[in-house]
């Protein structure tokens, strides 16, 4: 079972993580009393210890109590590395077989879930230094590589390579081999939108096809006109001979 020293160590590690990652954090007491993400992660750390000892009911009771208090649901079976920070946090869901590396950052409304089609390993694996923007959904048993960024409201359904940025529904890679994620490199807004780019391409293609269709229609009308004119002339000549 957990002793006082283990619990104290968990608290100290998580508080230091918040201080490093959140510039709005002013004091230890403020972090300890007001950060729901911190409360959820500490509760998970405790619940995970019970889960490892096969005390599943106690583990789930702890996690569900934390969910009721914080609005953040982390299954005690998930594997989460050091320096994990949930900013704001409301609506976050992390599934049982999810794995999260060190120094990852996720925002409110994020889901690390499954698709309902997989058995065994059902949830995603995040590498180290991964950022997941507000409202993003990462669904399935694939890996998101180290230093990757997932933009706000993206829906990720397949693997994201390391040092890449994924945007859109479904998510697409818009940046490769980018700079390493740091505390000041968290811009979720000024990222190219592949959906709007693709729409522009499709509109241009539609315009091109419409022009071709108009030319074909004009040619068809010309052929019909020529055919009908020839037919009328032929009929007139026949009448003249009569």
């Amino acid at each position: 079972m957990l002793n006082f020293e283990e619990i104290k160590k968990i608290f100290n590690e998580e508080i230091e993580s918040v201080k490093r990652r959140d510039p709005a954090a002013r004091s230890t007491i403020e972090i300890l009393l007001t950060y729901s993400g911190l409360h959820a992660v500490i509760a998970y750390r405790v619940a995970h210890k019970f889960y490892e000892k096969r005390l599943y009911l106690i583990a789930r009771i702890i996690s569900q109590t934390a969910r009721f208090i914080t609005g953040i649901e982390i299954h005690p079976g998930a594997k989460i590395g050091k320096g994990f920070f949930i900013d704001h946090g409301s609506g976050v869901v992390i599934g049982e077989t999810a794995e999260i590396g060190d120094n990852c950052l996720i925002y409110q409304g994020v889901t690390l879930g499954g698709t309902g089609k997989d058995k065994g390993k059902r949830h995603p694996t995040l590498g180290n230094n991964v950022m997941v923007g507000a409202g993003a959904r990462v669904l399935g048993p694939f890996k998101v590589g180290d230093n990757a960024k997932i933009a706000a409201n993206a829906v990720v359904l397949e693997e994201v390579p390391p040092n890449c940025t994924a945007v859109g529904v479904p998510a697409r890679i818009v940046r490769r081999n980018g700079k390493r994620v740091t505390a000041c490199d968290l811009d979720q807004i000024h990222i190219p939108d592949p959906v709007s780019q693709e729409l522009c391409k499709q509109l241009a293609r539609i315009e091109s096809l419409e022009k071709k269709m108009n030319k074909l229609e004009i040619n068809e009308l010309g052929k019909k006109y020529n055919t009908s004119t020839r037919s009328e002339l032929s009929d007139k000549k026949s009448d003249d001979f009569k």
Side-chain angles (χ1 to χ4, degrees):
M1 305 297 287
L2 287 172
N3 56 43
F4 176 75
E5 289 300 321
E6 287 179 314
I7 294 173
K8 183 180 178 182
K9 183 180 178 183
I10 291 171
F11 268 80
N12 288 336
E13 287 179 349
E14 299 306 329
I15 289 170
E16 286 304 312
S17 173
V18 174
K19 285 181 178 179
R20 288 197 309 270
R21 307 299 292 279
D22 187 2
R26 293 180 177 83
S27 66
T28 299
I29 192 66
E30 178 188 13
I31 293 168
L32 194 59
L33 294 177
T34 65
Y35 276 61
S36 59
L38 172 69
H39 303 156
V41 173
I42 289 174
Y44 155 77
R45 301 288 186 198
V46 175
H48 186 65
K49 293 289 185 182
F50 284 103
Y51 191 90
E52 290 180 323
K53 297 178 185 298
R54 297 180 181 273
L55 299 171
Y56 302 126
L57 179 59
I58 296 174
R60 289 306 301 273
I61 289 172
I62 293 170
S63 68
Q64 290 302 301
T65 302
R67 176 181 180 272
F68 177 77
I69 295 170
T70 65
I72 299 168
E73 182 173 350
I74 307 175
H75 195 286
K79 297 177 182 178
I80 300 177
K82 297 179 180 179
F84 179 54
F85 180 37
I86 303 174
D87 198 359
H88 301 293
S90 179
V92 168
V93 177
I94 299 175
E96 180 182 14
T97 61
E99 299 177 43
I100 300 174
D102 296 337
N103 302 313
C104 290
L105 168 65
I106 68 176
Y107 288 86
Q108 69 272 17
V110 167
T111 298
L112 303 182
T115 61
K117 300 177 182 179
D118 304 295
K119 295 182 179 180
K121 171 67 171 167
R122 308 183 301 280
H123 305 103
T125 297
L126 305 188
N128 299 324
N129 305 304
V130 173
M131 185 206 76
V132 185
R137 306 286 187 265
V138 187
L139 308 175
F142 52 82
K143 185 172 182 180
V144 177
D146 294 349
N147 310 311
K149 290 182 181 180
I150 297 171
N153 294 315
V155 178
V156 184
L157 301 174
E158 57 186 19
E159 184 172 345
V160 178
N163 303 303
C164 288
T165 299
V167 179
V169 182
R172 299 183 183 184
I173 306 302
V174 295
R175 187 178 178 189
R176 290 183 181 273
N177 300 317
K179 294 181 180 180
R180 188 176 176 81
V181 175
T182 63
C184 61
D185 188 18
L186 303 177
D187 187 0
Q188 301 176 59
I189 299 172
H190 301 99
I191 300 174
D193 185 357
V195 176
S196 63
Q197 291 176 349
E198 186 63 27
L199 284 173
C200 288
K201 289 179 182 178
Q202 294 301 324
L203 286 171
R205 186 174 179 182
I206 288 168
E207 287 178 1
S208 175
L209 289 171
E210 284 180 345
K211 288 178 181 178
K212 289 180 180 179
M213 288 294 295
N214 288 336
K215 287 181 180 179
L216 288 171
E217 287 178 359
I218 290 168
N219 289 336
E220 286 297 321
L221 287 171
K223 287 179 182 179
K224 288 180 180 179
Y225 176 78
N226 290 333
T227 303
S228 62
T229 303
R230 288 173 184 172
S231 178
E232 287 176 2
L233 288 171
S234 177
D235 292 342
K236 186 176 181 182
K237 286 180 180 179
S238 298
D239 292 338
D240 289 342
F241 281 114
K242 288 178 182 178

